[in-house]
Amino acid sequence: MSNWLKNYSGIFWLLAGITTGSIAGIVFGKGAEVVKPIGDIFLNLLFVAVIPLVFFAIASAIANIGAGQKLSRILSVMSLVFLGTVLISALLTIVAMWLFPVHQQAVIATDLVNQGAGKKLSGDQVTQLFTTDEFYLLLSRKNMLAMIIFALLTGFGTLRAGEKGLAFKQLLNAGNEVFKNVFALIMKVGPVGLGAYFAYQVAEFGPSLFGTYAHTLGIGYGVSLFYYAVFFSLYAFIAGGITGIKKYWSNNIIPSATAVGTCSSIATIPANLEGAKKMGVSPIIAGITIPLGGILHKDGSSISSILKMAVVFALFGKSFNSPEVILLALGMTVLVSIVEGGIPNGGYIGELLFISVYGFPPEALPPAIIIGTLIDPVATLLNATGDTVAAMMIDRFMGEKTESFVVEEKD
């Protein structure tokens, strides 16, 4: 019980701060707006820290890829399976949000939103979305996607430099560790910052905000549990027919309990490895895909990402159904599912990214954070237990090639 409380303490503190702020907003009304600067300071710290954090996280991850990790066949199949399941979970959530739309009664400061958000992108806008014409512009959160692309290039450049780039790789690793801790320090004041901001929001827009959150969470938990029961069974069937379904669910109890109890995909890796062994997955494939899946494969985060985008669009009176909006949402969802795995509180990276790309103001961040916080337990369940069923499918698609793969690698 003590470990469970420790693992969920961050969520509990955030909820306590938000609840306190909401009550203050109801009780004191407009008088609660005096604490808004505290919330603004917290949001500004997040926006400033996220640029170096994401840069070092991505660049160092690419730079640390070693020759021994280049297991092309397994990694190719693994990438396709991971990408496919993440996109399926995202598309399922989009459909659910279309079927059960969020009808927001109190629209937040629509005039503050970039009026270009949700409209068709011109050629120049596409260019500005992916690149900048000056290096210093990469330091702005408004150009976050361009910065991520530059971080990827920096990582690959360091990798190609080999021994000559060793000192720079050490710099990237050090920067990654430093800014992970900077971000963790900022999040320690999250309950106060979010509490102050919710006091302002409730005072400004009234308790009707709670209905929006409840509606969104109902959809989120419904989609997540449906995906967990139905789609994981479908994936297990693809991997091994009816027998595959029985093997998966009979050996998925401990990984599921571990995921919910620890609220961590990484902490579930040992249980997943043991479960995959009992499911009949090749030790070679399990040993490669499950540890990587703990970092890179996050179906639950995909669902959470779409939920956060949809509710922010509703709160700001924007339509979440145009092709441009959906394609960007899917792209960012895949990116966030990869990036957030190695970063504490990594889900907030996705929130900052889509707010930047879609042109929303900082006021869009608190609603996204509360949705992400409340959906986190079931998202972690999907993130963690989805790795074993993915390993089953990878093992099935590799077939007899696994043995020849092992021989080739030894040679």
Side-chain angles (χ1 to χ4, degrees):
M1 176 61 71
S2 61
N3 288 334
W4 185 84
L5 290 173
K6 180 180 179 181
N7 291 322
Y8 280 90
S9 61
I11 294 177
F12 291 148
W13 279 112
L14 280 176
L15 292 178
I18 290 167
T19 302
T20 302
S22 300
I23 293 172
I26 294 173
V27 173
F28 296 104
K30 294 293 183 179
E33 294 181 7
V34 70
V35 300
K36 182 177 182 291
I38 299 175
D40 290 336
I41 291 171
F42 170 69
L43 296 184
N44 287 342
L45 287 173
L46 283 182
F47 280 120
V48 169
V50 72
I51 297 299
L53 172 67
V54 172
F55 173 81
F56 281 110
I58 294 176
S60 63
I62 299 297
N64 283 297
I65 295 176
Q69 294 171 288
K70 297 176 182 176
L71 311 175
S72 57
R73 288 183 181 175
I74 288 181
L75 292 183
S76 296
V77 175
M78 180 192 73
S79 298
L80 290 174
V81 170
F82 285 1
L83 179 63
T85 57
V86 166
L87 288 175
I88 288 172
S89 60
L91 289 169
L92 178 66
T93 311
I94 290 172
V95 171
M97 296 305 293
W98 286 346
L99 293 175
F100 306 100
V102 178
H103 298 293
Q104 175 56 29
Q105 296 178 1
V107 177
I108 299 178
T110 308
D111 58 305
L112 294 175
V113 183
N114 184 328
Q115 295 303 312
K119 296 182 180 179
K120 292 186 177 181
L121 296 174
S122 67
D124 289 341
Q125 287 175 317
V126 171
T127 300
Q128 293 171 6
L129 183 62
F130 292 102
T131 59
T132 64
D133 57 359
E134 294 285 355
F135 178 80
Y136 75 90
L137 293 175
L138 292 173
L139 303 178
S140 170
R141 67 178 177 85
K142 296 179 180 179
N143 299 313
M144 197 167 175
L145 196 55
M147 183 277 297
I148 288 174
I149 293 172
F150 184 76
L152 289 169
L153 293 174
T154 301
F156 282 115
T158 307
L159 187 63
R160 286 173 58 87
E163 290 294 325
K164 294 181 179 179
L166 182 59
F168 189 75
K169 182 170 76 172
Q170 292 172 341
L171 172 65
L172 293 176
N173 290 334
N176 184 36
E177 289 301 318
V178 168
F179 280 99
K180 282 197 295 184
N181 282 281
V182 169
F183 201 77
L185 287 172
I186 294 173
M187 287 310 302
K188 286 186 180 296
V189 298
V192 176
L194 287 179
Y197 214 95
F198 267 78
Y200 157 73
Q201 282 199 333
V202 173
E204 183 73 14
F205 306 108
S208 62
L209 285 170
F210 300 133
T212 299
Y213 296 135
H215 179 86
T216 305
L217 288 171
I219 295 173
Y221 273 86
V223 169
S224 297
L225 294 176
F226 177 80
Y227 186 80
Y228 176 71
V230 176
F231 277 81
F232 280 7
S233 297
L234 176 61
Y235 297 153
F237 180 81
I238 293 172
I242 299 298
T243 302
I245 296 176
K246 293 178 179 179
K247 283 184 177 181
Y248 177 71
W249 287 112
S250 63
N251 295 292
N252 191 42
I253 297 174
I254 293 178
S256 295
T258 304
V260 174
T262 62
C263 200
S264 169
S265 298
I266 303 300
T268 311
I269 287 177
N272 274 341
L273 287 170
E274 183 64 24
K277 178 182 177 181
K278 295 177 180 178
M279 293 171 195
V281 178
S282 162
I284 297 293
I285 291 177
I288 294 171
T289 60
I290 287 179
L292 287 176
I295 300 172
L296 304 176
H297 179 227
K298 299 189 176 294
D299 294 350
S301 296
S302 173
I303 292 174
S304 174
S305 176
I306 296 298
L307 282 175
K308 289 181 282 192
M309 293 183 203
V311 76
V312 168
F313 268 72
L315 287 169
F316 284 85
K318 295 291 181 180
S319 174
F320 190 67
N321 55 18
S322 71
E324 293 86 355
V325 167
I326 298 303
L327 287 175
L328 273 178
L330 292 175
M332 285 186 286
T333 295
V334 171
L335 183 61
V336 168
S337 298
I338 295 172
V339 170
E340 73 173 43
I343 302 175
N345 302 300
Y348 302 141
I349 304 301
E351 293 150 13
L352 293 164
L353 175 59
F354 84 76
I355 287 170
S356 170
V357 170
Y358 285 126
F360 288 108
E363 285 80 1
L365 185 56
I369 288 179
I370 184 59
I371 293 297
T373 299
L374 293 175
I375 203 71
D376 188 62
V378 73
T380 301
L381 175 66
L382 296 182
N383 290 342
T385 59
D387 294 338
T388 47
V389 76
M392 288 178 68
M393 288 195 289
I394 293 167
D395 191 56
R396 169 69 178 83
F397 296 147
M398 288 295 297
E400 297 179 356
K401 293 182 180 181
T402 304
E403 293 302 322
S404 62
F405 166 82
V406 176
V407 173
E408 289 175 11
E409 290 297 324
K410 288 182 179 179
D411 293 341

